[in-house]
């Protein structure tokens, strides 16, 4: 770590009035009840925060969460990203309803470590304390807290507090620090205005780091703002790191534009989504069966949003079971692969389960008829092999994703994604063009697609020299750099020929005879020939002959490329007509050195509409040279 310190997020969990806030005050000296109403009612309504400097040097931020069932959604807003939970059980009451609910939340959010704290030991005798210990051990069997230390304390007398701090300190060194190399992700839990400073948001920094002056993005809105100043645990600092309780003063944004549930992140990495594909576990304590369409409150990081569960690999989910599901949401969230979530029943609102996000950005809504395809994907995504997941995405969606996209899709830092991409390129498993990723076999597949597309174009337009490269790119929907590489290889192997930005199969010769264009070519030629020096404008052929403009343009190009016709401005002339015009010009220059527009008009019996384009055409070929309003002879053919 850049500043040599380690940061830890500690959370509390437990039933209302079991002494969580009092315990934190005994540990830190900080009263986390911020609101007057909380002090009046003697219970935590919203999140409270404190910090604890541990003897070993680790700085811990402590999140105090409400225990009352009415405020469980506030508890969920603070429970994400917790490294260690102090699971509080009051010695005088034992296991209570919110004790169970908070345990479910911790389990669903993937909390790995904890200490069981039996508070209020001064209110009970030793025999009762032992009974509560046994009850608690039995209750925690089969959970992540099964073998955790149980420490009785009295916040009032201070008994056990020293032992608890020592245990927190010991465990703090077993916990892997949050990554500083990942992108910045700071879920907002509060937004407010400070006079003279502007908008301030607070949250626990989930990953990465941020500095004063950094540009950040507020998601899901996508508003980009700058960080004016930073506070960590109430002190002004220049930078903040993952695991720290952080306040950011943001520029050019009102407190109404950023609120609890939003995410402050490094710009251009994350996209919002209104649906997620997940691995869902229904709590064994849930007293209901979930079927597709079940309404829930979905909790992700600090955001709560209404949603509906759609089961993928079964028709109903029973308590204690796990399945694949898609959760469709009424508002967008900003999910990342492997993020944890919790669901509460819609009504009555109580915690019933949760799990892990597998696909943060599903392309479409799940439909039962596509169940097998969905399961194929989800089995790969649930396999804990990020390399395999990476390859799966690249193979399934060639060219759709850039390196940046995989930060969200497989939850790795940009540096690790770059390393993975380089490694896979070296192994010959993927290709990269303009930052877009493709499977290794894609170029060979694309070559065949290019050849068949060009062949089909020849069949559709047998009188055309070939297909324009841009049209080919549009038909294949590939980036220019990739198409250029494929065309280069096909031309070098003499399977294709390119001339003037037009591509054709080697050996192909345009021919009108026996094709649908034979009659159209004849009619266009007749119109041009019979019109002499005053042919119709090219765009007029379409209405004169009642044919598509595209077909007319192809015929015009055929006549120019294969029959020597010449395009003059908006007109096309027969080669014999152009021969006659050149002869007239030669005869004129045998007698005179200069030619006026009027003379040229009189020779051909035409108006300026035809004379000017013809003269400008001969200027462009170098056959005439313009001197003021007159022409002199150039390299007349």
């Amino acid at each position: 770590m850049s500043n040599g310190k380690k940061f830890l997020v500690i959370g509390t969990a437990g039933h209302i009035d079991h002494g969580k806030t009092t315990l934190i005050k005994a540990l830190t000296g900080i009263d986390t009840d911020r609101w007057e109403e909380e002090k009046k009612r003697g219970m935590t309504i919203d999140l409270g925060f404190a910090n604890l400097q541990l003897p070993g040097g680790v700085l811990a931020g402590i999140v105090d969460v409400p225990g009352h069932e009415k405020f469980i959604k506030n508890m969920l807003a603070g429970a994400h990203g917790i490294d260690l939970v102090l699971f509080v059980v009051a010695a005088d009451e034992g296991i209570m309803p919110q004790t169970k609910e908070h345990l479910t939340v911790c389990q669903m959010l993937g909390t790995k470590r904890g200490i069981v704290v039996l508070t209020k030991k001064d209110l009970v005798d030793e025999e009762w304390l032992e009974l509560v210990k046994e009850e608690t051990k039995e209750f925690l069997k089969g959970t992540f807290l099964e073998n955790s230390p149980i420490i009785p304390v009295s916040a009032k007398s201070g008994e056990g507090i020293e032992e608890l701090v020592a245990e927190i300190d010991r465990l703090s060194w077993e916990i892997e620090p949050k990554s500083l190399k990942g992108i910045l992700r700071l879920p907002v839990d509060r937004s407010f205005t400070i006079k003279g400073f502007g908008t301030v948001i607070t949250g626990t920094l989930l990953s990465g780091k941020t500095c004063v002056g950094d540009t950040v993005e507020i998601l899901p809105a996508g508003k980009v703002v700058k960080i004016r100043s930073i506070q960590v645990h109430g002190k002004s600092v220049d930078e903040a790191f993952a695991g720290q309780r952080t306040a950011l003063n943001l520029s050019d944004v009102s407190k109404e534009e950023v609120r609890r549930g939003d995410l402050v992140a490094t710009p251009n990495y994350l996209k919002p989504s209104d649906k997620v594909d997940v691995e869902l576990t229904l709590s064994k304590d849930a007293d209901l069966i979930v079927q597709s369409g079940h309404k829930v409150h979905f909790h992700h990081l600090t955001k709560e949003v209404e949603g509906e569960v759609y089961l993928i690999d079964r028709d109903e989910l029973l308590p204690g079971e796990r399945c694949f599901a898609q959760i469709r949401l009424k508002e967008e969230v900003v999910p990342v692969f492997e993020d944890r979530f919790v669901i509460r029943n819609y009504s009555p609102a109580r915690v019933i389960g949760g799990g892990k996000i597998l696909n943060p950005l599903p392309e479409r809504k799940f439909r039962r008829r596509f169940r097998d395809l969905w399961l194929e994907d989800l089995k790969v995504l649930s396999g804990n092999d990020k390399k395999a997941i990476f390859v799966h995405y690249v193979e399934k969606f060639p060219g759709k994703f850039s390196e940046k996209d995989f930060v969200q899709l497989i939850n790795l830092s940009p540096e690790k994604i770059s390393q993975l991409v380089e490694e896979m390129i070296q192994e010959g498993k993927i290709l990269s063009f303009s930052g877009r990723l493709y499977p290794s076999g894609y170029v060979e597949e694309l070559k065949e697609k290019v050849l068949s597309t060009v062949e089909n174009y020849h069949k559709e337009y047998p009188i055309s020299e070939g297909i324009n490269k841009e049209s080919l790119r549009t038909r294949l929907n590939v980036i220019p750099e990739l198409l250029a590489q494929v065309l280069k290889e096909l031309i070098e192997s003499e399977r294709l020929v390119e001339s003037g930005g037009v591509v054709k199969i080697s050996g192909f010769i345009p021919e009108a005879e026996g094709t649908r264009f034979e009659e159209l070519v004849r009619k266009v030629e007749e119109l041009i020939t019979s019109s002499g020096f005053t042919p119709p404008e090219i765009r007029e052929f379409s209405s004169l002959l009642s044919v598509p403009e595209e077909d007319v343009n192809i015929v015009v190009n055929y006549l120019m490329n294969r029959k020597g016709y010449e395009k003059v401005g908006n007109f096309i002339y027969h080669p014999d007509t152009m021969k006659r015009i050149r002869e007239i010009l030669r005869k004129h220059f045998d007698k005179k050195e200069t030619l006026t527009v009027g003379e040229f008009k009189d020779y051909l019996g035409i108006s300026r509409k035809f004379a000017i384009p013809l003269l400008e055409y001969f200027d462009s070929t170098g056959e005439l040279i313009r001197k003021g309003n007159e022409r002199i002879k150039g390299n007349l053919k």
Side-chain angles (χ1 to χ4, degrees), residues 305-330:
V305 55
E306 289 176 21
E308 289 179 347
V309 176
Y310 288 86
L311 306 179
I312 293 172
D313 58 348
R314 64 194 64 203
D315 296 325
E316 57 181 26
L317 185 65
L318 304 177
E321 288 185 345
R322 182 182 298 169
C323 74
F324 293 130
Q326 182 174 89
I327 302 179
R328 295 180 201 158
L329 308 166
K330 281 198 174 176

Side-chain angles (χ1 to χ4, degrees), residues 172-200:
S172 72
W173 292 104
E174 292 178 9
I175 293 163
E176 200 175 314
K178 289 181 170 65
S179 171
L180 301 188
K181 288 192 175 174
I183 62 163
L184 169 71
R185 281 212 295 163
L186 195 156
V188 177
D189 53 47
R190 288 177 68 210
S191 170
F192 50 93
T193 304
I194 294 180
K195 201 172 177 184
F197 284 88
T199 301
V200 174

Side-chain angles (χ1 to χ4, degrees), residues 8-13 54 60-63 79 81-87 106 111-116 144-145 148-149 164-165 167-172 175 178:
L8 189 69
V9 181
I10 297 173
T12 60
L54 293 166
I62 303 181
V63 185
I82 285 174
D83 300 302
L84 175 74
V85 66
L86 300 181
F87 196 77
C106 293
T111 312
K112 297 282 192 299
R113 284 185 172 80
I115 299 169
V116 182
F144 75 100
L145 289 169
S148 296
L164 177 57
V165 170
E167 189 57 34
I168 295 171
D169 191 44
R170 185 185 69 78
L171 284 174
S172 72
I175 293 163
K178 289 181 170 65

Side-chain angles (χ1 to χ4, degrees), residues 80-217:
H80 69 87
I82 285 174
D83 300 302
L84 175 74
V85 66
L86 300 181
F87 196 77
V88 175
V89 178
D92 61 336
E93 286 191 328
I95 306 301
M96 298 292 281
Q98 264 67 60
T99 317
K100 293 177 181 177
E101 198 164 24
H102 280 210
L103 179 63
T104 300
V105 168
C106 293
Q107 292 267 99
M108 297 305 168
L109 290 178
T111 312
K112 297 282 192 299
R113 284 185 172 80
I115 299 169
V116 182
V117 185
L118 298 184
T119 54
K120 307 185 183 183
K121 73 168 287 192
D122 52 295
L123 299 182
V124 299
D125 58 29
E126 281 301 319
E127 193 179 343
W128 182 264
L129 190 62
E130 283 306 312
L131 282 173
V132 173
K133 259 192 195 179
E134 287 310 309
E135 180 201 21
T136 304
K137 275 183 187 174
E138 190 60 35
F139 170 66
L140 296 173
K141 268 187 182 169
T143 75
F144 75 100
L145 289 169
E146 183 172 4
N147 298 311
S148 296
I150 299 176
I151 300 176
V153 302
S154 166
K156 196 174 177 182
S157 69
E159 192 182 349
I161 295 296
E162 202 175 306
E163 187 188 343
L164 177 57
V165 170
E167 189 57 34
I168 295 171
D169 191 44
R170 185 185 69 78
L171 284 174
S172 72
W173 292 104
E174 292 178 9
I175 293 163
E176 200 175 314
K178 289 181 170 65
S179 171
L180 301 188
K181 288 192 175 174
I183 62 163
L184 169 71
R185 281 212 295 163
L186 195 156
V188 177
D189 53 47
R190 288 177 68 210
S191 170
F192 50 93
T193 304
I194 294 180
K195 201 172 177 184
F197 284 88
T199 301
V200 174
I201 62 98
T202 64
T204 302
L205 217 155
L206 204 56
S207 67
K209 63 175 186 173
T210 191
C211 305
V212 171
D214 278 357
T215 298
V216 293
E217 186 175 16

Side-chain angles (χ1 to χ4, degrees), residues 6-124:
K6 183 174 180 181
F7 305 101
L8 189 69
V9 181
I10 297 173
T12 60
H15 192 73
I16 180 177
D17 204 26
H18 273 206
K20 297 185 293 296
T21 304
T22 310
L23 173 66
I24 292 173
K25 192 172 182 183
L27 283 168
T28 67
I30 297 167
D31 184 354
T32 56
D33 279 349
R34 292 185 291 112
W35 309 113
E36 195 56 43
E37 189 186 347
E38 290 178 346
K39 294 190 186 299
K40 253 192 269 177
R41 292 166 69 173
M43 66 179 188
T44 304
I45 295 170
D46 208 337
L47 302 170
F49 301 95
N51 55 282
L52 174 64
Q53 183 68 61
L54 293 166
V58 173
L59 182 61
I62 303 181
V63 185
D64 183 19
V65 299
H68 195 280
E69 64 177 331
K70 285 183 182 175
F71 308 116
I72 191 77
K73 64 181 183 179
N74 290 341
M75 180 267 175
L76 284 160
H80 69 87
I82 285 174
D83 300 302
L84 175 74
V85 66
L86 300 181
F87 196 77
V88 175
V89 178
D92 61 336
E93 286 191 328
I95 306 301
M96 298 292 281
Q98 264 67 60
T99 317
K100 293 177 181 177
E101 198 164 24
H102 280 210
L103 179 63
T104 300
V105 168
C106 293
Q107 292 267 99
M108 297 305 168
L109 290 178
T111 312
K112 297 282 192 299
R113 284 185 172 80
I115 299 169
V116 182
V117 185
L118 298 184
T119 54
K120 307 185 183 183
K121 73 168 287 192
D122 52 295
L123 299 182
V124 299

Side-chain angles (χ1 to χ4, degrees), residues 528-529 531-536 538 541 556 559-560 563-579 581 600 604 606-607 609-611 613-614 617:
I528 295 168
T529 307
S531 306
F533 297 135
T534 56
I538 291 168
F541 285 113
V556 166
L559 294 175
M560 288 165 59
K563 295 203 169 187
Y565 282 65
E566 291 179 67
K567 188 170 180 283
V568 177
N570 296 322
F571 307 99
I572 182 164
Y573 283 87
H574 193 282
D576 291 344
T577 306
M578 293 300 282
K579 191 177 177 184
I581 295 170
F600 186 62
L604 301 185
I606 58 176
S607 66
K609 175 184 171 182
F610 297 96
L614 279 163
Y617 175 74

